[in-house]
Amino acid sequence: MSHAAGTLNGEAAPESPGRQTEPYLPPATHPVRAVVWAIHLIVPMLGLWLLLANPDTLDIKWQHEPSHFWLIIAVAGINVVLGGMISQAAARRQDARLVLVSLVFLSSAGFFLMHGLTTPKIILPAGSYGFDLSQPVGLTVASAFAFASALPLGDRAARWVLARTGVLRGALALFLVLWGFASLVPDLTPLSDRPPADGATLGLFSLVAVFLYTAAAIMVFRMHRKRPSSMLISLITAYALLAEAMFAAISHRNWALSWWEWHILLTFAFGFVAYSAYIQFRREGSSAGLFDSIALAATVRRLQAQYDEALEELVGHLRRRAESPVPVATRLAGKFRLTESQAAVLDRAGEALANERELSERLAALVDVGRTARVGLDEKELLATALDRVRQAYGDVRIGLVADGVVSVAARDYSEHDFPGGEPVRHDDALVHPLTVKGKLAGAMRVPIGRTPQDAALAGLLAGQMSISLENARLYGELSTLFRQYMSPDVAAALLADPEQAALGGSLVELTALFADLKGFTTFSEKVAPGEIVDMLNRYHTAAVPCILDNGGTIVQFVGDALLALFNAPARQQDHALAAARAGLAMQRAAARVAEEVAAEQAAGRLNGVEWPQFRVGVNTGMALVGNIGSPELRGFNAMGDSVNVAARLQALAEPGTVVIGSTTYEQLGTGARVSSLGDLSLKGKEQPVHAYVLHALPE
């Protein structure tokens, strides 16, 4: 039987989902364990069959009253201990199932005691009905409690059982007392009389108990499949052995080996539960949670919540490093009935867990700082956002930036000489790290240390991350001043993400070119002063350039009053023909507003009366060679090809205030574009005529 305990109590962990090829079977349903378990249950029944099949040769009688008395008293004692322990667990957990299971062992213990006391030649001179009936009656009562305990008790039923726990125990105690008087006092009731020679009839009790124990074992087995546990396996085994014992009791040949066999089965049934409880106690070092796996699912969930709350309390206390007259582990030890050594282990485990969690939070803060240091974030906003995040994980972090070669942090001034070799400076319980940009001191950061062993290393990582973020912000600020003034933000971002698009060389790309210039610029220039020419150009370009950039275009040339913008180069752009057409119409609307403002100012006498020139726009789509032309030190982005030349020719033919597009552009605009056909045009440098259109409007 000890081999069975070792076999059934071992709980195998399921394989990881990634490697699992067959469904996980809980320990009791694992093929090998199931076979061993079945063997231990079949062997007693096989032995009973052999004894009863050979009553004269094998099922011999051996009547030894003292052996029977002490065997039954020992089993009763085991049941008293188990019943008491489970009763304490039931009161501690307020669990109805544990109440009913405790009554299984307490009722068995009481009737075993009655059976032992009625053993012939102990108190009574001979056998009695009480001797024959005490054990089967007691086990039948226990089977009723076992069946009830295995039912899926809901909240209402559980509350009913808990509210009547005292009544159930009192009724059981009263029944035992009355049974004892009736069995032990001579001539008081028939229970003290001698039964017939073949013993009292036990068939009804036995059959009822066999059914109830079998049903209880099946229901507990189903619980075990959902929540594998060695104590549940022990309970299943006990109920199965008790069912076999009651089945064996049907024969009731007093003092025969078959009669002794069902006494031994009873001993094994309750001894098995006791042994399992002892093994679990040795493993856990405490009896507080021995029977938690038997409890109702609601109780298990409540306990899990309590454990989670206690763990959070422990971790929170250790993270804060709060000074308390009573250590948190001691408070939890009282709450969960832990031993002194367990409380010490809990303190050390909690300390390690708190350090690990704090390390995880600080690493997460580092990741967040890197994530928030995105392109285009203002330097002040970057530092404010980063400080808010890192202070949650690192404590009172301070940052100062260089001004006139000196950086002030936490009321202390530092210069580049204070950080030889870029090493940090320690002051009290903090490290002051230099923040650098292109190898030069740009600021300093003060980080508290001393809370975890990894503080110094984490402070260095944080300083490095902040230096990178600060340098990126400043470099991007320079790019915004230079790079972004020549192209749209989307194009600039695309080139930052893929610098290969700005490499020297060229490639053949379909693009849309937009040419624009001012009709009448030469005449205007002859009539006004140079300063007025500059003012006029700046005013028109200030209005026109955003129209190109907002539609994703890149301005590659300003030549006097003319400009060239490309769409779909250098960064790729969907619907580039439509974007260029929208930009052209937007430019004409912006130019018209400028013309209205100029006319108003001329009427008011704030400007001379010379007529201002007007924009004309040409747009064409086609293949062109685009790339960076120049040297590694100085380069210029441009496009060359027939499609670009056609755009220039269309712009030269356009009337002031209009947008002229080529046939390829028109085809890519789709339906809804409102145009007027100019027919086939003969353009300079082109042998074949080019069909062109005046673009009036695009669909919204």
Side-chain angles (χ1 to χ4, degrees):
M1 198 66 187
S2 60
H3 175 67
T7 302
L8 296 176
N9 278 321
E11 296 194 25
E15 294 183 8
S16 62
R19 293 181 291 106
Q20 188 172 347
T21 56
E22 297 180 358
Y24 165 61
L25 298 176
T29 58
H30 192 282
V32 175
R33 292 181 175 85
V35 170
V36 175
W37 193 63
I39 289 174
H40 284 80
L41 297 180
I42 292 173
V43 166
M45 299 307 296
L46 181 62
L48 176 65
W49 176 76
L50 289 174
L51 292 173
L52 295 179
N54 301 276
D56 298 328
T57 57
L58 296 179
D59 196 21
I60 60 176
K61 284 192 175 183
W62 180 65
Q63 184 170 349
H64 192 267
E65 292 83 358
S67 297
H68 175 269
F69 174 76
W70 290 115
L71 175 65
I72 294 300
I73 293 301
V75 176
I78 292 173
N79 282 353
V80 167
V81 173
L82 286 174
M85 293 176 65
I86 299 176
S87 294
Q88 290 179 352
R92 185 165 58 250
R93 305 304 191 202
Q94 284 297 293
D95 185 85
R97 177 172 289 150
L98 290 176
V99 169
L100 294 172
V101 173
S102 70
L103 291 174
V104 173
F105 292 94
L106 292 176
S107 59
S108 300
F111 281 98
F112 282 3
L113 178 63
M114 295 300 105
H115 181 62
L117 293 177
T118 54
T119 302
K121 300 180 183 179
I122 300 299
I123 294 178
L124 298 176
S128 64
Y129 278 106
F131 174 69
D132 288 350
L133 295 179
S134 292
Q135 198 159 312
V137 168
L139 288 176
T140 303
V141 172
S143 70
F145 287 127
F147 179 80
S149 71
L151 293 172
L153 300 176
D155 291 341
R156 184 175 179 181
R159 287 195 297 270
W160 189 93
V161 172
L162 290 173
R164 291 162 178 80
T165 299
V167 175
L168 292 172
R169 289 173 178 166
L172 176 61
L174 179 62
F175 186 32
L176 284 169
V177 170
L178 293 176
W179 186 277
F181 273 105
S183 300
L184 295 173
V185 178
D187 303 324
L188 182 64
T189 67
L191 286 177
S192 59
D193 296 341
R194 296 189 63 173
D198 56 353
T201 302
L202 305 176
L204 178 62
F205 289 115
S206 299
L207 290 176
V208 170
V210 167
F211 172 77
L212 292 177
Y213 279 126
T214 302
I218 293 172
M219 287 188 286
V220 174
F221 175 79
R222 294 178 65 182
M223 285 190 289
H224 170 71
R225 284 183 64 89
K226 297 179 181 178
R227 193 173 67 218
S229 161
S230 59
M231 284 305 302
L232 286 175
I233 293 178
S234 302
L235 206 59
I236 295 168
T237 307
Y239 288 166
L241 290 173
L242 289 174
E244 292 186 355
M246 294 305 295
F247 185 80
I250 295 176
S251 65
H252 196 69
R253 298 186 64 209
N254 282 357
W255 305 105
L257 289 184
S258 59
W259 183 82
W260 281 103
E261 181 187 3
W262 71 278
H263 284 70
I264 295 172
L265 285 174
L266 297 176
T267 305
F268 278 144
F270 296 110
F272 188 83
V273 177
Y275 176 75
S276 297
Y278 171 73
I279 293 298
Q280 190 164 340
F281 172 78
R282 287 285 303 272
R283 184 186 303 128
E284 298 183 4
S286 172
S287 62
L290 285 182
F291 305 101
D292 285 351
S293 60
I294 302 175
L296 294 169
T299 303
V300 173
R301 289 193 296 269
R302 188 176 70 248
L303 289 175
Q304 186 61 53
Q306 291 177 357
Y307 293 146
D308 291 343
E309 181 182 353
L311 187 60
E312 288 298 325
E313 178 185 350
L314 173 65
V315 173
H317 172 83
L318 292 172
R319 286 189 60 199
R320 294 189 299 270
R321 305 296 197 269
E323 295 295 333
S324 172
V326 180
V328 66
T330 303
R331 297 201 303 272
L332 294 178
K335 184 176 182 179
F336 292 99
R337 300 193 177 186
L338 304 179
T339 64
E340 184 175 344
S341 60
Q342 287 174 330
V345 171
L346 181 62
D347 260 331
R348 292 194 296 272
E351 185 81 25
L353 181 60
N355 288 340
E356 182 179 353
R357 173 170 292 192
E358 192 151 347
L359 175 61
S360 297
E361 289 184 0
R362 292 186 176 187
L363 291 175
L366 281 173
V367 173
D368 289 343
V369 169
R371 186 184 300 116
T372 55
R374 62 185 183 277
V375 170
L377 190 64
D378 179 73
E379 180 179 311
K380 292 183 179 179
E381 184 181 354
L382 166 68
L383 294 178
T385 303
L387 275 178
D388 286 342
R389 179 64 183 92
V390 299
R391 281 173 176 168
Q392 298 172 16
Y394 288 80
D396 187 21
V397 177
R398 305 287 185 89
I399 290 179
L401 298 180
V402 167
D404 297 326
V406 177
V407 55
S408 180
V409 180
R412 289 177 180 265
D413 292 338
Y414 302 90
S415 67
E416 195 163 1
H417 301 293
D418 293 313
F419 305 105
E423 294 298 319
V425 178
R426 178 155 189 165
H427 289 297
D428 302 327
D429 58 348
L431 282 176
V432 180
H433 279 268
L435 303 181
T436 60
V437 172
K438 295 184 177 179
K440 300 294 184 181
L441 182 67
M445 181 179 67
R446 181 184 183 274
V447 185
I449 61 171
R451 292 167 61 181
T452 70
Q454 301 88 7
D455 279 359
L458 289 171
L461 288 175
L462 179 60
Q465 181 63 60
M466 288 302 300
S467 291
I468 293 172
S469 300
L470 183 61
E471 183 167 349
N472 287 344
R474 292 188 175 180
L475 289 175
Y476 188 77
E478 296 178 9
L479 288 175
S480 287
T481 303
L482 301 173
F483 197 36
R484 288 176 175 267
Q485 292 180 353
Y486 296 90
M487 59 191 66
S488 72
D490 290 340
V491 173
L495 290 178
L496 285 173
D498 183 9
E500 290 297 321
Q501 296 185 57
L504 281 174
S507 58
L508 201 61
V509 175
E510 183 185 70
L511 53 76
T512 300
L514 181 151
F515 267 99
D517 78 346
L518 290 166
K519 176 71 171 178
F521 176 73
T522 302
T523 303
F524 178 82
S525 301
E526 292 174 349
K527 296 179 180 181
V528 298
E532 293 180 72
I533 298 174
V534 174
D535 291 339
M536 181 273 295
L537 288 174
N538 287 340
R539 196 161 180 174
Y540 269 130
H541 287 157
T542 298
V545 166
C547 300
I548 296 173
L549 299 183
D550 291 345
N551 283 282
T554 300
I555 300 174
V556 297
Q557 285 185 13
F558 277 109
V559 181
D561 63 321
L563 65 84
L564 167 62
L566 302 179
F567 294 80
N568 202 37
R572 302 297 170 257
Q573 181 181 12
Q574 289 185 347
D575 300 326
H576 52 88
L578 181 60
R582 290 188 189 282
L585 292 175
M587 288 174 63
Q588 293 295 18
R589 290 192 295 269
R593 289 192 294 271
V594 172
E596 291 175 0
E597 295 169 1
V598 168
E601 292 177 19
Q602 288 177 338
R606 292 193 297 273
L607 286 176
N608 62 46
V610 177
E611 183 180 359
W612 278 36
Q614 291 181 276
F615 262 122
R616 54 185 178 179
V617 177
V619 177
N620 190 52
T621 302
M623 302 302 291
L625 183 65
V626 297
N628 293 288
I629 301 170
S631 68
E633 293 80 12
L634 184 64
R635 67 188 68 180
F637 183 80
N638 212 328
M640 295 174 291
D642 181 65
S643 61
V644 180
N645 294 335
V646 170
R649 300 291 183 264
L650 294 177
Q651 169 259 314
L653 293 176
E655 292 296 326
T658 65
V659 178
V660 176
I661 62 174
S663 59
T664 309
T665 303
Y666 174 66
E667 291 169 0
Q668 294 194 16
L669 294 183
T671 59
R674 190 159 56 87
V675 299
S676 298
S677 175
L678 295 176
D680 292 332
L681 302 179
S682 295
L683 302 181
K684 183 180 179 180
K686 292 285 292 181
E687 294 181 0
Q688 299 296 326
V690 174
H691 201 91
Y693 304 84
V694 176
L695 178 64
H696 299 292
L698 291 169
E700 295 295 331

